Amino acid sequence: MSLAGLLGLFITGCGLADPDAIQLDEGVIESTPTPAPLPTLTALATAPPSELITIWLDWEFQELQGLYQAIERYQLQQPGVEFAISYHPREALLQDFQAATAERQGPSILLGPATWGPILREQGLVLNLSPLLDPGMESDIHPIAWSQAAEGTQLFGLPLELQGMVLYRNRSLVAQPVADLDEWLQVAESLRSEGRVAIIMDMALSNTLPMIAACGEEAFTQSGALSLFERGGECWLRLLSTLGELGDVVFGTDEDVASFKRGGSAWVIASTDMRGELIEAIGITNLEVDPWPLFPELGFPLRGFTWSENAYLVAGSTESDLEATWNFLQFLFGEQGQGILSDPGGAGHIPTTSALEPPDSLMLASSSMLRAGMPWPPRISLEVAEAPLIAAIQAVVLQGAEPGFALRLAEERLELLTSSSLTP
């Protein structure tokens, strides 16, 4: 069954709207502003709706279940508010949104990654939320989540969910986490003697760049430039060379995840949004999220990137629409909304608020690692730097090149690429 069909069945089952009031059109689900017959509501539910909030998103079906549960709960408090939900594939959502807003047909709320924030702000498509914040609202949110939505004193999105890279372990292969890289190498050697693999290490920049934290450095300067050419780069390449001794090395393929899913390797570095897939593959009792091991050279742990999924309040609303939409966003952002969306049986989102702990041990461990992670700067693009840096990693890890030489060569290549891209 198509996603649209599944969603239609789910909405009907939840009683969000009468089946006749739901229109399915190429994956778009819209609830028209007709009375919503919620079975637990009084006659207030049949009053004509005073507001319609439209939401565009690319969420999976299970995530949408959580959203509809949150909407139902909200409608118990605000029965005069109706909702229209429009699903778009991730690769099409931003472009569809930009085209619709140009025709003044955009939604009230756009749900999307933090990396869209700078684009939306520069195009004037979303509102600055700072004047709308209630006192104390910011203090409830983990600082790393705010870093994904704020620019200076201005807030252009509400971070609804933390995501990022964590270290998963199959406890049926290795019962306990390792404390540092030395212990990790010992366990890897033991597994190798049994014909098993500790980890297939994907050295894509999304995995490896934040590991410079184990050298006591950040990946980017305050201005957003790569910091490793100035400090920490040689240490970082030495670290990656050590990690390369744990098992096979790949660059941006799915081989690492595939091996972990079939029980072929004990660890994998993967995104928190893959938790459901990994549980299905190896079983919930076998899946663990480990603390990042320490790098003995300096005593700092490895880290992964952390980012957020944001709710953007779309510009151009009337005053009454803005008030209704903001009230709902506050609900989603608050303890009730975050509690519903963090249900592991539903959306399974890792909450951004410090007032709510994730409901199960796996999500709690992920949350702890994400809060200690390296924030992904939403304005940063590694497209130009990727080829020179990957070449440096390959030279050191696979060919045994001297880290300082490989780093200088990468810097020279990057300078050439940058200068050529600026040449008319």
Side-chain angles (χ1 to χ4, degrees), residues 164-301:
M165 307 303 290
V166 295
L167 180 64
Y168 291 101
R169 172 172 50 89
N170 185 336
R171 60 184 301 181
S172 70
L173 300 181
V174 175
Q176 299 294 330
V178 294
D180 57 30
L181 261 64
D182 289 341
E183 184 181 354
W184 208 358
L185 288 169
Q186 293 172 6
V187 173
E189 182 59 33
S190 176
L191 288 170
R192 196 175 293 116
S193 67
E194 300 170 1
R196 297 183 177 181
V197 178
I199 186 171
I200 295 180
M201 184 67 67
D202 183 354
M203 293 206 174
L205 293 183
S206 57
N207 286 350
T208 57
L209 196 53
M211 291 181 181
I212 199 172
C215 297
E217 302 292 345
E218 294 290 328
F220 304 100
T221 65
Q222 289 292 326
S223 63
L226 285 167
S227 64
L228 54 83
F229 296 117
E230 301 297 328
R231 55 187 183 275
E234 292 186 35
C235 171
W236 173 67
L237 287 172
R238 289 196 303 273
L239 164 64
L240 298 187
S241 181
T242 302
L243 291 174
E245 299 174 19
L246 293 171
D248 297 336
V249 173
V250 296
F251 292 86
T253 74
D254 294 330
E255 187 178 346
D256 56 333
V257 174
S259 174
F260 186 81
K261 284 182 175 181
R262 63 175 180 266
S265 49
W267 282 275
V268 70
I269 298 170
S271 172
T272 50
D273 65 6
M274 294 193 67
R275 181 178 62 250
E277 290 182 41
L278 300 182
I279 288 174
E280 184 177 353
I282 70 170
I284 191 169
T285 58
N286 290 328
L287 188 65
E288 295 282 356
V289 171
D290 282 353
W292 290 103
L294 299 175
F295 183 31
E297 182 173 321
L298 292 174
F300 295 114

Side-chain angles (χ1 to χ4, degrees), residues 55-57 59 67 108-114 116-117 120 126-129 145-146 148-149 155-161 308-314 325-326 328-330 332-333 338 341 352:
I55 304 173
W56 283 22
L57 42 64
W59 288 12
L67 177 61
S108 314
I109 298 169
L110 175 68
L111 301 182
W116 289 358
L120 299 174
V126 295
L127 296 177
N128 172 23
L129 304 179
W146 280 118
Q148 299 297 295
L155 181 71
F156 288 94
L158 288 181
L160 291 179
E161 175 195 6
S308 71
E309 183 85 359
N310 293 346
Y312 299 101
L313 188 56
V314 179
T325 304
W326 175 243
F328 177 65
L329 280 184
Q330 285 182 295
L332 278 187
F333 196 62
Q338 290 269 294
L341 293 177
T352 58

Side-chain angles (χ1 to χ4, degrees), residues 10-83:
F10 176 74
I11 298 171
T12 303
C14 283
L16 277 177
D18 185 83
D20 293 333
I22 296 172
Q23 303 165 357
L24 303 182
D25 182 15
E26 297 183 358
V28 177
I29 300 90
E30 293 195 339
S31 167
T32 60
T34 53
L38 297 174
T40 56
L41 293 180
T42 64
L44 285 174
T46 63
S50 57
E51 303 291 349
L52 174 66
I53 297 174
T54 57
I55 304 173
W56 283 22
L57 42 64
D58 67 347
W59 288 12
E60 299 293 333
F61 180 64
Q62 229 174 343
E63 295 178 286
L64 284 163
Q65 286 181 313
L67 177 61
Y68 285 123
Q69 289 171 16
I71 288 174
E72 269 198 342
R73 181 75 60 84
Y74 184 73
Q75 286 179 318
L76 291 173
Q77 305 169 17
Q78 301 288 337
V81 179
E82 283 294 311
F83 293 82

